[in-house]
Amino acid sequence: MGGADIERLIALLARLPGLGPRSARRAALALLRQPQTRMLPLAQAMEQAARSVRTCSSCGNLDTHDPCGICADLARDRAVVCVVETVGDLWALERACVHRGVYQVLGGTLSALSGTGPDDLNLAPLLARLEEGGVREVILALGATVEGAATAHWLQDRLAAYDVPVSRVGQGVPMGGALDVLDDGTLAAALTARKICS
């Protein structure tokens, strides 16, 4: 429609999560309408990020420093490690301000369909922390999917050799959720994980 350069831009944008061809086309048009104020600053920020962002060797987070800002923060409780699937999950927990410990990003979950096995998970830094001692609790904050549940179960077995309690985040009825619209699995998880009201 608009030449090879525009088609390439649309094709690259369409590769991003959440953007299909139509959304990518709209994004490309918005960038192209104001190249000086939208496209060039975005291109410069992306180039700079590609050069400076690295994976934290301690936890797997993305940051411009190694160790990342979370691992370097001395106010963090290093005795509580929250295990998450992705950096996006870590960022979500940080936005919610609910965890003041440190993290371990696995980089995925066990999945026979996608060929992800135990050796593909970023588990070595967590095991090293456990070997060193001083970890009081490991929190498994993995998704409520078949793969997340399988990974959590495998991790519980793998971490049983260490004298550290392993907990899982609560799963079930979301805030404001109506029971009649929830699927059977969510309802079963919520009922199984119920707590006594005092």
Side-chain angles (χ1 to χ4, degrees):
M1 271 185 269
D5 289 343
I6 294 174
E7 290 303 318
R8 181 171 179 259
L9 175 62
I10 293 169
L12 289 171
L13 288 171
R15 290 184 187 174
L16 295 173
L19 288 183
R22 289 176 55 186
S23 297
R25 195 172 299 110
R26 282 193 299 273
L29 285 172
L31 292 169
L32 291 167
R33 280 189 199 117
Q34 296 178 327
Q36 296 301 319
T37 58
R38 288 186 177 170
M39 183 177 270
L40 292 177
L42 176 63
Q44 290 167 353
M46 291 173 69
E47 183 180 356
Q48 179 62 34
R51 273 196 242 116
S52 65
V53 173
R54 63 197 90 223
T55 301
C56 176
S57 58
S58 298
C59 73
N61 188 17
L62 294 175
D63 201 326
T64 55
H65 298 90
D66 186 13
C68 70
I70 293 170
C71 289
D73 185 351
L74 298 177
R76 292 284 185 157
D77 185 355
R78 288 165 175 21
V80 181
V81 182
C82 184
V83 178
V84 296
E85 179 182 345
T86 67
V87 173
D89 298 331
L90 183 156
W91 291 354
L93 288 168
E94 282 298 290
R95 274 194 318 271
C97 299
V98 293
H99 179 63
R100 291 302 303 160
V102 292
Y103 294 91
Q104 182 61 51
V105 179
L106 294 177
T109 54
L110 299 176
S111 173
L113 289 175
S114 66
T116 306
D119 292 339
D120 298 314
L121 301 181
N122 182 30
L123 193 60
L126 174 62
L127 298 178
R129 287 186 218 184
L130 292 168
E131 291 287 339
E132 291 171 8
V135 175
R136 190 173 65 248
E137 180 184 9
V138 174
I139 303 167
L140 302 180
L142 302 173
T145 62
V146 171
E147 293 84 2
T151 304
H153 183 72
W154 178 79
L155 280 170
Q156 285 174 296
D157 288 346
R158 180 74 171 85
L159 301 179
Y162 302 93
D163 190 27
V164 175
V166 177
S167 62
R168 289 199 61 190
V169 294
Q171 297 174 349
V173 180
M175 293 297 289
L179 296 182
D180 62 341
V181 298
L182 297 176
D183 64 275
D184 295 344
T186 300
L187 285 172
L191 198 57
T192 303
R194 67 189 181 278
K195 295 179 182 177
I196 302 294
C197 299
S198 50

